[in-house]
């Protein structure tokens, strides 16, 4: 039954590979199922073959390769190289240890020692990957949850099964039933986690396509377009709402396109737009008004200190380099002009003009903060 279930999970992995087209991730899953199947199939014959035979070492090697493929698959599933690079480096170290254990399993005659090492490495990698799943749970909640449940089952099964006894005495049916059950249960949960990630990626892609097709949306950055900005601003003016307008300019952004090309400049713009959205509330709006300018509409009338703190956060976020194709790209300095309704204007054009004057003054001054309030500029004049 266990071998049949493992064969079925291999087929499931192949289906996921065909559906997603991600051979780099699901290929490791198929290999993990295959090596687990080969390892348990070899162990099933140890009651008829001497424990020190070549078949026993072949089975131990297969199980070690299963453990290695399992770690490689989990790295891809949880995106540890991007979301948790420190844990990913430790996982790579465990992969190297499993590679060495595989070589020893093929040539060493001390089978109980090999199985003890395998048991320790499987337990250590399970704990490490569970920590990784908890680290990325906000980015991919369902895959992380399913992985953690599988990790708990794996730790329980491997801890309860006396793997070193496999090489010390003849195999008896059901001897490692807990270990087999843990491996099968975890592989099944990993298949569900992979399916959940495919579903999330498809939903994200559909939302992105809908966003690009929606009116009033800038296709490159996902921020509101100039038309969407005007619609929201005019709506708030008709409703006589109080709101603030932050006009954001990227100084020297043309040099980014010159140094890194179109793709690099577009990547920086998209990253800055995302960082701006992270600074605002759900009812606020981030819009792209020009090739190198953005605007934020903030509903209500926040205190000046809050607006200043927000401007500082935006400046700090914009100064962080953007990762693109293995390089870190600098987006340049950010300047901001801030105008408020109704104090700085009764129309959207008037507010934009006031914010533009403040932004121009901010760009001219050599010292001081990266933001200027339009009403302060009026009093200075």
């Amino acid at each position: 039954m266990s071998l049949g279930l493992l064969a079925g999970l291999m087929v499931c992995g192949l289906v996921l590979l065909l559906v997603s087209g991600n051979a780099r991730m699901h290929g490791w899953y198929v290999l993990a199922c295959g090596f687990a199947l080969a390892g348990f199939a070899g162990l099933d014959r140890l009651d008829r073959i001497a424990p020190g035979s070549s078949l026993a070492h072949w089975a131990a090697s297969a199980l070690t390769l299963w453990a290695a493929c399992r770690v490689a698959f989990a790295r891809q599933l949880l995106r540890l190289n991007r979301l948790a690079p420190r844990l990913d480096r430790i996982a790579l170290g465990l992969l190297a240890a499993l590679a060495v254990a595989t070589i020893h399993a093929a040539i060493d005659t001390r089978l109980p020692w090999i199985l003890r090492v395998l048991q320790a490495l499987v337990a250590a990698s399970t704990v490490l990957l569970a920590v990784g799943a908890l680290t990325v749970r906000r980015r991919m909640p369902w895959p992380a949850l399913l992985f953690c449940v599988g990790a708990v089952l794996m730790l329980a099964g491997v801890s309860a099964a006396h793997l070193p006894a496999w090489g010390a005495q003849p195999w008896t049916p059901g001897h490692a039933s807990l270990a087999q059950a843990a491996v099968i249960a975890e592989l099944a949960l990993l298949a569900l986690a992979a399916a959940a990630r495919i579903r999330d990626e498809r939903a994200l892609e559909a939302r992105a396509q809908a966003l690009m097709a929606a009116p009033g949306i800038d296709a490159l950055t996902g921020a509101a377009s100039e038309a969407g900005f005007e619609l929201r601003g005019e709506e708030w003016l008709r409703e006589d709402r109080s709101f603030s307008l932050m006009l954001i300019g990227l100084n020297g952004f043309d040099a980014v396109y010159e140094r890194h090309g179109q793709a690099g400049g577009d990547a920086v713009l998209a990253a800055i737009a995302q960082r701006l959205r992270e600074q605002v509330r759900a009812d606020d709006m981030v819009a792209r008004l020009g090739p190198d300018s953005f605007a934020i509409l903030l509903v209500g009338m926040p205190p000046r200190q809050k607006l200043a703190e927000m401007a500082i956060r935006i400046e700090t976020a914009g100064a962080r380099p953007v990762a693109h194709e293995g390089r870190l790209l600098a987006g340049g300095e950010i300047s901001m002009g801030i105008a408020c309704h109704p104090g700085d204007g009764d129309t959207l054009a008037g507010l934009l003009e006031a914010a533009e004057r403040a932004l121009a003054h901010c760009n001219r001054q050599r010292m001081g903060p990266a933001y200027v309030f339009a009403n302060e500029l009026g009093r200075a004049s």
Side-chain angles (χ1 to χ4, degrees):
M1 183 183 294
S2 63
L3 300 183
L5 289 172
L6 287 170
L9 290 172
M10 279 188 68
V11 175
C12 180
L14 290 171
V15 171
L16 291 173
L17 190 154
L18 293 174
V19 169
S20 68
N22 189 348
R24 190 176 182 180
M25 180 174 73
H26 297 290
W28 288 118
Y29 179 83
V30 173
L31 288 174
C33 293
F35 284 125
L37 175 61
F40 286 126
L43 290 175
D44 282 341
R45 299 185 61 192
L46 290 187
D47 59 335
R48 299 184 295 275
I49 299 176
S53 67
S54 59
L55 178 63
H57 293 284
W58 178 79
S61 298
L63 288 175
T64 310
L65 287 171
W66 153 76
C69 293
R70 167 179 171 268
V71 174
F73 167 75
R75 287 182 60 241
Q76 298 294 325
L77 174 71
L78 301 173
R79 297 176 180 171
L80 293 184
N81 61 332
R82 293 181 57 188
L83 304 180
R86 292 182 180 178
L87 293 177
D88 185 63
R89 287 192 287 270
I90 300 175
L92 290 174
L94 287 173
L95 277 175
L98 285 166
V100 174
T102 302
I103 297 173
H104 276 284
I107 62 177
D108 202 324
T109 58
R110 296 172 295 172
L111 187 59
W113 178 83
I114 295 170
L115 292 173
R116 289 189 186 96
V117 171
L118 174 61
Q119 189 173 24
L121 289 175
V122 169
S125 62
T126 301
V127 172
L128 173 70
L129 295 172
V131 173
L134 293 174
T135 303
V136 305
R137 67 188 185 280
R138 293 184 179 180
R139 297 287 188 91
M140 42 181 66
W142 276 108
L145 175 61
L146 291 168
F147 186 91
C148 287
V149 174
V152 171
L153 294 177
M154 175 58 67
L155 284 175
V158 171
S159 300
H162 299 288
L163 298 185
W166 291 354
Q169 62 186 24
W171 172 268
T172 56
H175 181 71
S177 58
L178 289 176
Q180 289 189 20
V183 170
I184 294 170
E186 190 199 40
L187 286 172
L189 287 168
L190 289 180
L192 292 175
R197 175 175 159 175
I198 293 174
R199 181 201 62 187
D200 293 344
E201 289 176 346
R202 293 289 174 84
L204 183 62
E205 183 180 353
R207 286 197 298 269
Q209 292 177 352
L211 187 65
M212 291 182 180
I217 299 297
D218 179 63
L220 173 62
T221 62
S225 66
E226 186 174 2
F229 167 81
E230 292 176 354
L231 287 173
R232 178 68 64 86
E234 295 294 345
E235 177 186 353
W236 287 1
L237 287 170
R238 287 194 303 270
E239 296 174 355
D240 197 23
R241 288 193 183 189
S242 298
F243 62 91
S244 301
L245 166 63
M246 300 182 71
L247 190 61
I248 300 168
L250 308 180
N251 301 329
F253 189 75
D254 291 340
V256 177
Y257 280 106
E258 294 174 0
R259 288 194 301 266
H260 307 295
Q262 183 72 33
D266 290 349
V268 172
L269 281 175
I272 290 177
Q274 175 60 32
R275 293 172 186 177
L276 293 177
R277 286 194 291 270
E278 292 172 356
Q279 302 297 327
V280 301
R281 301 160 296 184
D283 294 336
D284 301 329
M285 169 180 276
V286 175
R288 184 187 179 198
L289 301 188
D292 56 358
S293 63
F294 292 87
I296 297 178
L297 288 176
L298 299 167
V299 66
M301 188 63 71
R304 293 177 62 85
Q305 182 62 28
K306 294 293 184 182
L307 289 174
E309 292 173 357
M310 182 178 180
I312 294 172
R313 291 197 304 269
I314 289 174
E315 180 190 11
T316 303
R320 296 201 313 266
V322 176
H324 175 67
E325 295 182 349
R327 298 178 296 170
L328 293 178
L329 312 183
E333 297 181 354
I334 285 181
S335 299
M336 286 160 279
I338 305 173
C340 300
H341 173 264
D344 296 319
D346 296 327
T347 65
L348 190 60
L351 287 169
L352 275 172
E353 184 179 353
E356 287 171 355
R357 287 198 305 269
L359 179 61
H361 181 79
C362 183
N363 289 329
R364 286 194 301 269
Q365 64 182 9
R366 296 182 179 180
M367 303 293 291
Y371 60 90
V372 170
F373 287 90
N375 57 0
E376 285 185 349
L377 183 62
R379 287 197 296 269
S381 301

